[in-house]
Amino acid sequence: MLSGRHAAASQPRPALFVGRTRERALLADVVASARDGGAAVVVRGELGVGKTALLEQVAGPATRTVWVHGVEEEAVLPYAALAELMRPLRRYVEQLPVVQRDAVEVALALRPGAPVSTFAVGTGVLAALALAAASDPLVIVVDDHQWLDPSSGTVLSFVARRLVAEHVVLLFAVRDGRGTPNDDVPGLPVLRLAGMPAPDCTALAAGRGLDVPPEVLADAVEETGGNPLALIHVLDGRHHPGRGSAQRAWAAAVAGLPAPARVALFVVAAAWRGAGAVVLEKVLAELGLGLDDLEAAERAGLISTDLAGAVARPTLSHPLLRPVVVEVTPPATRIAAARALARHAEPDQHAWYLAAAATGPDAAAATALAAVAQRAQDRAAPLEAARAWERAAALTPPPAPEAAGDLRADRLLAAATAALLAGSAGAAAGLCDDALVGCRDPLLAADAELVRGRAQTVLGRLPHAAAGLVRAAAAALPRDPARSARLFAEAAVPLAMDHRLPEMLATALRGETADPAGSPSLPGTAMMAAALALRGDCGRARGRSALGVLLSGQADATEDLPFLAVLAEVRMWLEDFDTARRLLGSVLPRARSAGATPALVRALGVRGEVERWLGRWDEAYADATEALRRADELGLAMSIGPALVALARIDAARGDAARCEERLDRAHREAAAHGIGCLAVTVSAVHGFLALGVGEFPAAAEHLEAASSAAARGGLDGPNVVPFAADLVEAHAHAGDLDRARHALRRLEERAVATGLAHPAAVAARCGGLLADDPEFALACFDRAAALHSRCPAPFERARTLLCRAEALRRMRRPAAARPDLVAALAVFGELRARPWAARAQRELAATGRDGATHPGRRPEHLTPQELQIARSVADGLTNSETATALLLSLRTVEAHLTRVYRKLGIRSRAELAASLAPAPASSA
């Protein structure tokens, strides 16, 4: 039997387990499901409610169980809990593909290596667990999840959300209300434990051999709420009803110990878990004590023996004793014990003990913690790195008046950078605030403003982010024009999100001119091109973006990836889909391998939009689904809304009104919570498109007018950025408001002429046909629209034009001439599964005297978004193992999905898969 668990510290618990019948049955079913696939459940409840005891009952009968424990004093050590999990599974790590094996081994400090990402570690752990459970299901119990080190908590949450085909069950026990980074495991089902009912409490007392009068038991149950731990403390005489909690009883017991026993007990509480009896004896000897000084604590039931490895050592009898012991120990004793423990500890523990012993600035302790922070960064443990950098900064002596640098500010900035990488934008912004206080180096201040601006952008403090970045850019300009140019480019990002496009353009222009003697930069060029395209100046946007494409080969591996995605988006708006695809083909694999999730999410969103334009809606949906999942996991609030809108637009076109509305409601909440002004246009536009598709024309016109007003307020004048103008004309026309329809059409025609873009011109011609009084002129408009569509591949819009032309022909009593257009339009709508539009075409075809049947589409059975992402990766030439690494899945999950893909598509080889998914070439502008 596998067991990564040390013998549990004893705690008051009934001799026989009682109650929890329903909970035991539910969890037993989950454990049994490991035979069929993976699952994960969170068991939540207050201290002492019986979470651990319940999991022991459920997991005990399992064939193979590994226990992992969160330990409060180890929460600063990277991957401490994960090491406990993987120790008995080491041989499976050694069987992993090289990239995954390297990531896990570097993270666990099993060997040195290049820095890795948390996602790469998670993928490797998932793959190792899948191997371990390949022949026999595996149950993993994570006890006291709230005390896990953040890196282990992140990886285990990552694994839990991806258990599909793996025969692994993860059970988490989480205590309520601790306020720690691991207080929650989002995205998993939760089983909440409350206190036990009175009959079970009676059985509990009987099982402990306690003869308690009924009235005393009833009072105890009422006082404790049926909490088993509290009830036992009340009933076994350690304290009496009405006299406080178990912690207060422990505090009294500790205070009653002789002074040497209290000091020795603190050493036991403060020692790291791996410290054996020999180490404890040495530490106690330095303090003039010995192991025999713990006898009084043992008699009081405060310590027990933990068989960790081959050597027995005393441990606290309950984890909650630790804060009690610390609280009642005088500071001088704590400092002396920390110094003694530091002399016998490993490097990471040594640094933290030095910090605990420091009473003021301490250069040696600060240097040691800085080294700990750097090691944590290299092992993909950014939150632990942030904590170590922040503590190192606090211990750093102030700089001398004549010193050029500011080591304290440097370390605070390093802490902020690590916190932002970990997704803790609030902490990052606060650390930057601290770094900027009294900072004498303007370039260091500029770097701090850059990190703070990025953090504030994530937090939705867009005006503050933009203002700070612009100030920093102006301050850096005299000394470092290149750095100033990047800051101006970064400032343009929150301005775009805040829908302040004139200011975005002015800021981007300042970035372009910041360094007249230097070469153009990719960030500045990309943001200038984006600002011009958003404002509708497509001629200049085309030139700037062409320069950006030339600069793209010099892009930095990580810092410039978001700007490459912006450049691809601009080329898409300019109808140059081939170049957009080429740029994204460079960004996506680099972002995946570097663990650059924000850049990856942005690139997935842009690629999804390209695919939607080109009629590859399943691919677009898969990209947006992955973007949303990644943004949710890392808390990228600025990216959640756009991903939701992208999915909602396809839901609307396919007639899934409920799902579309649900996504738009959430996108609206995200916009309101984080001040994302640009979503006001897109959310209203998709609402209008949904109503238009189902024939609710007045409602469609109302939503689309709201989108138009929001676009005008923000200065958005690029007709392809949010292409809703033709929908607005059609909504007004069908609602009978021809004056407003003609007004909207004139505006659309003006933008088509001004930008020279094919799509606005095509849909303007289509709308001209809709509003024409002369039937022959209407047909001429539709013919012109069809010709323009050939310059900008957008199958859905071309099919809409065919539908409108056929409707006009039928009204002219030319049904035979209408049929070919309707058949062609119906084929496109059927392939895209655009059900409302297909239904409209079918009705028209039936009115011509011929029954319509929905086109079957290019696939006999459509793939799920995840199946499609896996299929696309394999079709691009990646092996199954490389696909698993890229998509953060286990090899077993990839293989299971790929089997279903082959079955659904009716193919047998990778070559056939590549051929079936190959995109058609798109014309370039």
Side-chain angles (χ1 to χ4, degrees):
M1 173 176 171
L2 275 171
S3 178
R5 188 184 187 196
H6 301 149
S10 65
Q11 67 183 66
R13 194 173 289 157
L16 295 174
F17 188 88
V18 299
R20 308 294 190 197
T21 302
R22 182 184 70 88
E23 292 88 348
R24 289 173 71 183
L26 288 171
L27 291 178
D29 286 345
V30 173
V31 170
S33 74
R35 293 189 298 269
D36 303 315
V41 175
V42 176
V43 179
R44 292 194 68 95
E46 64 180 3
L47 163 70
V49 79
K51 301 180 294 296
T52 302
L54 174 63
L55 292 177
E56 285 177 338
Q57 290 293 313
V58 173
T63 306
R64 303 164 78 219
T65 305
V66 180
W67 282 74
V68 179
H69 299 85
V71 180
E72 184 179 2
E73 59 267 34
E74 294 185 358
V76 295
L77 303 179
Y79 296 110
L82 192 66
E84 182 183 12
L85 168 64
M86 301 309 293
R87 190 177 299 118
L89 306 175
R90 176 70 186 276
R91 66 181 183 276
Y92 300 107
V93 175
E94 294 169 353
Q95 298 173 31
L96 294 176
V98 173
V99 173
Q100 294 178 350
R101 185 183 69 236
D102 289 351
V104 175
E105 290 183 344
V106 169
L108 297 181
L110 298 175
R111 65 172 187 79
V116 296
S117 76
T118 307
F119 288 129
V121 179
T123 305
V125 170
L126 177 62
L129 295 179
L131 287 174
S135 58
D136 197 6
L138 179 63
V139 177
I140 300 168
V141 183
V142 182
D143 200 12
D144 278 328
H145 179 270
Q146 72 280 351
W147 293 131
L148 292 187
D149 56 279
S151 51
S152 293
T154 298
V155 167
L156 289 171
S157 298
F158 172 95
V159 169
R161 288 191 293 269
R162 285 166 174 78
L163 292 174
V164 180
E166 303 77 13
H167 300 297
V168 177
V169 166
L170 259 170
L171 304 176
F172 296 92
V174 184
R175 192 192 316 161
D176 284 335
R178 298 305 307 167
T180 67
N182 293 309
D183 262 3
D184 196 12
V185 193
L188 298 183
V190 176
L191 176 63
R192 183 168 294 280
L193 290 191
M196 296 195 306
D200 289 342
C201 290
T202 301
L204 177 64
R208 295 282 297 186
L210 299 173
D211 185 12
V212 183
E215 62 276 9
V216 173
L217 180 61
D219 289 345
V221 171
E222 182 176 359
E223 179 195 355
T224 62
N227 181 296
L229 177 63
L231 185 72
I232 290 169
H233 273 282
V234 167
L235 296 181
D236 70 1
R238 298 191 187 190
H239 69 291
H240 302 288
R243 291 186 59 189
S245 67
Q247 290 98 316
R248 290 177 60 184
W250 283 327
V254 173
L257 294 176
R262 291 199 301 273
V263 176
L265 185 63
F266 176 79
V267 171
V268 171
W272 67 98
R273 184 165 37 165
V278 173
V279 171
L280 288 179
E281 193 167 14
K282 290 179 179 178
V283 172
L284 290 171
E286 289 192 23
L287 299 172
L289 303 170
L291 289 174
D292 54 351
D293 286 300
L294 289 167
E295 289 179 0
E298 186 174 17
R299 287 194 299 271
L302 299 174
I303 63 170
S304 59
T305 299
D306 182 11
L307 299 174
V311 181
R313 60 154 286 185
T315 62
L316 298 180
S317 60
H318 194 284
L320 276 186
L321 264 171
R322 184 179 185 277
V324 172
V325 172
V326 171
E327 184 178 355
V328 300
T329 303
T333 301
R334 297 202 299 264
I335 291 169
R339 288 174 178 160
L341 285 163
R343 285 187 281 272
H344 299 279
E346 296 295 325
D348 282 8
Q349 291 99 329
H350 168 80
W352 282 107
Y353 282 128
L354 285 181
T359 57
D362 187 321
T367 299
L369 275 177
V372 168
Q374 188 59 58
R375 286 194 293 272
Q377 284 182 200
D378 293 343
R379 293 171 58 192
L383 272 178
E384 289 89 337
R387 288 178 177 177
W389 281 123
E390 183 178 11
R391 184 66 176 131
L395 294 173
T396 301
E402 68 279 3
D406 187 341
L407 189 56
R408 173 187 168 277
D410 273 335
R411 287 169 172 168
L412 283 169
L413 178 55
T417 303
L420 184 59
L421 179 64
S424 295
L431 289 163
C432 287
D433 290 343
D434 293 341
L436 288 164
V437 174
C439 182
R440 298 177 297 182
D441 182 349
L443 296 184
L444 176 60
D447 290 341
E449 285 284 11
L450 176 60
V451 175
R452 180 165 68 173
R454 289 173 176 171
Q456 288 177 326
T457 299
V458 171
L459 292 168
R461 303 170 187 168
L462 301 178
H464 296 288
L469 288 166
V470 169
R471 280 196 310 270
L477 182 56
R479 298 184 60 177
D480 192 337
R483 191 177 312 209
S484 174
R486 176 173 280 275
L487 285 162
F488 277 123
E490 293 272 357
V493 175
L495 288 170
M497 292 179 174
D498 205 21
H499 207 42
R500 294 155 58 192
L501 302 186
E503 293 173 68
M504 176 197 179
L505 179 58
T507 301
L509 181 59
R510 292 180 71 182
E512 272 204 329
T513 58
D515 188 7
S519 301
S521 70
L522 175 66
T525 302
M527 294 313 298
M528 188 64 187
L532 290 167
L534 288 164
R535 295 285 288 153
D537 191 345
C538 293
R540 288 202 294 164
R542 188 171 285 105
R544 289 301 200 292
S545 61
L547 174 59
V549 172
L550 291 176
L551 295 171
S552 63
Q554 307 166 16
D556 178 81
T558 52
E559 287 291 300
D560 289 343
L561 291 180
F563 297 101
L564 275 176
V566 169
L567 196 61
E569 190 168 33
V570 173
R571 297 309 295 184
M572 175 190 69
W573 292 335
L574 297 174
E575 301 173 357
D576 181 4
F577 301 104
D578 288 336
T579 300
R581 274 177 168 169
R582 284 199 300 272
L583 290 169
L584 294 167
S586 169
V587 175
L588 285 163
R590 291 162 64 185
R592 290 189 193 279
S593 63
T597 304
L600 175 62
V601 169
R602 181 67 183 269
L604 285 167
V606 177
R607 188 173 72 172
E609 284 298 287
V610 171
E611 301 288 30
R612 185 183 62 81
W613 271 96
L614 300 179
R616 293 165 56 84
W617 285 8
D618 287 345
E619 289 82 352
Y621 208 83
D623 278 337
T625 299
E626 184 182 355
L628 178 60
R629 176 171 59 83
R630 301 268 191 147
D632 270 332
E633 284 185 336
L634 205 57
L636 301 176
M638 296 297 105
S639 300
I640 291 171
L644 288 165
V645 171
L647 291 166
R649 184 180 283 113
I650 297 177
D651 290 333
R654 288 178 166 169
D656 193 342
R659 182 176 292 183
C660 176
E661 294 282 4
E662 179 184 339
R663 295 194 196 279
L664 291 176
D665 286 347
R666 186 184 171 197
H668 178 75
R669 293 194 301 272
E670 292 289 340
H674 300 97
I676 314 173
C678 60
L679 286 180
V681 180
T682 54
V683 168
S684 294
V686 176
H687 269 302
F689 176 60
L690 173 65
L692 181 66
V694 297
E696 298 175 359
F697 302 120
E702 182 180 350
H703 286 301
L704 292 164
E705 282 290 355
S708 181
S709 298
R713 286 194 303 271
L716 174 61
D717 221 4
N720 280 349
V721 176
V722 187
F724 63 86
D727 295 340
L728 178 59
V729 176
E730 186 172 344
H732 280 314
H734 286 300
D737 194 340
L738 297 183
D739 287 341
R740 298 183 77 179
R742 291 190 181 100
H743 175 76
L745 175 57
R746 285 194 296 273
R747 177 62 181 159
L748 174 57
E749 289 172 336
E750 289 169 4
R751 298 314 302 148
V753 172
T755 61
L757 296 170
H759 175 71
V763 295
R766 179 177 78 211
C767 292
L770 280 174
L771 296 178
D773 295 326
D774 181 351
E776 294 302 327
F777 178 72
L779 291 180
C781 288
F782 292 133
D783 289 342
R784 181 169 180 268
L788 287 165
H789 280 308
S790 66
R791 289 173 42 199
C792 177
F796 177 69
E797 293 299 331
R798 181 177 178 276
R800 287 178 66 179
T801 295
L802 292 174
L803 176 57
C804 289
R805 184 176 186 274
E807 288 171 336
L809 284 168
R810 192 177 65 79
R811 286 193 299 270
M812 296 165 62
R813 301 183 185 279
R814 296 167 59 182
R819 286 183 196 126
D821 286 346
L822 289 170
V823 170
L826 186 56
V828 174
F829 294 145
E831 184 168 337
L832 297 176
R833 305 203 303 285
R835 288 183 289 272
W837 300 89
R840 180 172 155 186
Q842 284 175 321
R843 288 193 298 270
E844 284 294 321
L845 192 55
T848 69
R850 174 176 168 181
D851 281 339
T854 302
H855 190 275
R858 69 171 177 267
R859 299 188 181 104
E861 187 178 351
H862 287 273
L863 306 181
T864 68
Q866 188 163 85
E867 288 169 352
L868 186 50
Q869 290 296 66
I870 290 170
R872 291 169 83 183
S873 296
V874 171
D876 285 341
L878 272 63
T879 65
N880 289 3
S881 176
E882 291 167 339
T883 297
T885 300
L887 298 181
L888 309 180
L889 301 169
S890 75
L891 181 60
R892 187 179 183 88
T893 295
V894 168
E895 290 170 343
H897 280 309
L898 200 55
T899 298
R900 287 194 286 272
V901 167
Y902 277 37
R903 176 183 57 77
K904 287 182 177 183
L905 300 187
I907 59 176
R908 297 184 178 182
S909 70
R910 290 173 179 258
E912 289 182 272
L913 178 61
S916 70
L917 296 182
S923 61
S924 299

